Amino acid sequence: SMLVAAVGACKPAAGARHATASVVRCAQVRQRRGLRAAEEPSTPARQPLPLVKGTPGTDACVRRKGAGDDGDDGTAGSIFIARALLLAGVRLSDLPVPRRVWYGIELVLVMAAYMSVGPALILVNKHIMRDLGFPYPITVSALGQLSSYVFCLLCFRVFKTHTLTTADQVTWRFYLANMGVVGAAAAGSIAFGQGVYMYMSVAFIQMLKSLGPVVTSLFLVAFDVERQSRAVLSCILMISAGAAVASYGELHFSTIGTIMMLVSSCCEGLRLVLTQKLVVNLKFPALEGLYYYSPITAAWMVLAGLVLEMPSMLNAQRTGGALAPSTILAAHWSQFGLAAALGMLVNLSSMMMIKYTGAVTLKLLATARNAGLVLYAVLVVGEATTTTQIAGYAIACCFLVLYVLAKSMPPHRH
């Protein structure tokens, strides 16, 4: 055609040859389509398919291939396949190499933060409540939620490094129906989870946390998010049995602490499932989800603190002397600040891990993190454990591995 001859006569430079070849292929494809349309006038004209966005230096004119689009040359077909894989964008192997590398680096950094800041926050909060004599777990936990909201305000409102992409979806009705429940579940999980350290050892608490995937799976089934196979249900049963054996071997068993741990696990499972639906299904970015749910979580925790802890704090303030809450806060303000910063990092890393992996995978990573904390408590801190306790926890960990394998298998089709 004339367009092909004109392009060929331009003698483009070496850096523009790829773009010229793309124009030539587009002209040839359009010419063939025009000839087919002229030969078949009775066929209704189809709407042009949307352009596939490509990377610099590639053929950006090739459209997605529709039904009946045959006869294209091999180059256009290869470009179509590459673009289709690029548009999928859900698996790491489908990504271009530079983007894949950055994605891997980002995922490693998020996982490293998630695996490290959680245990650090546990140890710092335990030090504040036990060693410093500040036995107010709800107040201590609320510091992390308040710092999370302040961080999000700085990002979205002050420095404007991020923009609210879902502001039109977050009406007051939506906020109260979704964020209110997520915030209440998060507040219950954090408050009960921190309060249990007043009654039991760090090692035994981490062993009981092996029930996390069990509770999360039950909520996934209850909310019709996932359906579990028989193999998964068998692993869940054995994980529960291992946790029961570990509880039986505990030297300093506390009924109050165990009940608080179970309530915390239920609240955490509910929070993870609802957050997965909010962040993944509703396409909320991780930081934006934290911006919306951290203030309602802090509000729930402040309300609970006013009802449950404020009378005791006022009484200790009047009679405590050196152990008055204000005196402890003034003398150890840096440790309270560290707890607030770690709480913010835990929230942010949890939201990002849910975005990358999902609720159940997050709980499995948390279980691996808890196992490391058990080793630290036993080998470094020197907390007492029994053989029965270790055996029960080993059973739970082994079936957690089988649980992962069962979850990774494709569903059976009849």
Side-chain angles (χ1 to χ4, degrees), residues 4-323:
V4 175
V7 172
C10 290
K11 296 183 180 180
R17 290 176 182 172
H18 292 293
T20 305
S22 301
V23 174
V24 172
R25 287 196 297 272
C26 288
Q28 293 173 346
V29 170
R30 290 170 179 170
Q31 183 180 17
R32 285 195 294 271
R33 289 178 179 174
L35 292 175
R36 286 202 303 270
E39 294 173 357
E40 301 177 1
S42 59
T43 304
R46 297 191 308 271
Q47 293 294 329
L49 295 171
L51 283 171
V52 176
K53 296 181 180 180
T55 55
T58 59
D59 181 9
C61 298
V62 178
R63 299 178 182 271
R64 298 178 194 167
K65 196 170 183 179
D69 286 341
D70 51 11
D72 290 347
D73 59 6
T75 305
S78 300
I79 294 175
F80 163 73
I81 295 173
R83 298 295 161 73
L85 292 175
L86 179 60
L87 287 176
V90 294
R91 293 179 301 177
L92 186 60
S93 59
D94 295 338
L95 301 175
V97 173
R99 185 179 175 187
R100 186 189 311 172
V101 171
W102 285 112
Y103 180 90
I105 294 174
E106 184 178 356
L107 180 58
V108 169
L109 292 177
V110 171
M111 290 183 64
Y114 178 77
M115 298 294 285
S116 59
V117 296
L121 178 63
I122 290 174
L123 297 176
V124 170
N125 285 349
K126 181 185 176 183
H127 173 70
I128 291 175
M129 291 185 293
R130 282 193 173 184
D131 300 338
L132 299 184
F134 195 84
Y136 308 107
I138 299 178
T139 303
V140 173
S141 303
L143 296 176
Q145 303 304 315
L146 293 173
S147 63
S148 299
Y149 185 55
V150 171
F151 175 77
C152 292
L153 282 178
L154 293 176
C155 291
F156 287 104
R157 299 298 185 184
V158 179
F159 299 105
K160 297 182 178 180
T161 58
H162 296 72
T163 57
L164 297 174
T165 60
T166 56
D168 55 339
Q169 302 181 30
V170 185
T171 62
W172 278 109
R173 181 178 180 181
F174 173 87
Y175 190 82
L176 295 177
N178 293 274
M179 300 296 181
V181 180
V182 172
S189 172
I190 296 171
F192 285 105
Q194 293 297 324
V196 74
Y197 288 94
M198 302 293 296
Y199 300 93
M200 296 188 298
S201 64
V202 173
F204 183 52
I205 292 172
Q206 308 314 310
M207 293 179 186
L208 288 181
K209 285 184 178 181
S210 62
L211 292 172
V214 176
V215 178
T216 304
S217 297
L218 294 178
F219 277 109
L220 289 172
V221 174
F223 283 87
D224 199 22
V225 178
E226 291 181 6
R227 293 186 177 181
Q228 311 298 341
S229 63
R230 292 182 179 179
V232 171
L233 294 177
S234 300
C235 292
I236 289 175
L237 181 62
M238 293 305 299
I239 292 171
S240 303
V245 173
S247 301
Y248 180 78
E250 170 65 14
L251 293 175
H252 306 287
F253 183 83
S254 172
T255 303
I256 297 178
T258 303
I259 294 175
M260 293 179 65
M261 191 67 243
L262 293 177
V263 174
S264 175
S265 297
C266 291
C267 292
E268 179 70 2
L270 179 62
R271 182 191 73 85
L272 287 173
V273 173
L274 295 178
T275 306
Q276 179 178 357
K277 181 179 179 181
L278 185 68
V279 174
V280 178
N281 297 346
L282 297 181
K283 309 302 181 184
F284 267 50
L287 186 61
E288 192 166 345
L290 184 61
Y291 170 81
Y292 286 120
Y293 106 93
S294 58
I296 192 66
T297 303
W300 279 108
M301 299 188 73
V302 169
L303 179 62
L306 290 175
V307 175
L308 300 177
E309 295 183 347
M310 183 57 68
S312 177
M313 292 178 66
L314 293 176
N315 185 48
Q317 184 66 30
R318 289 193 299 265
T319 61
L323 296 179

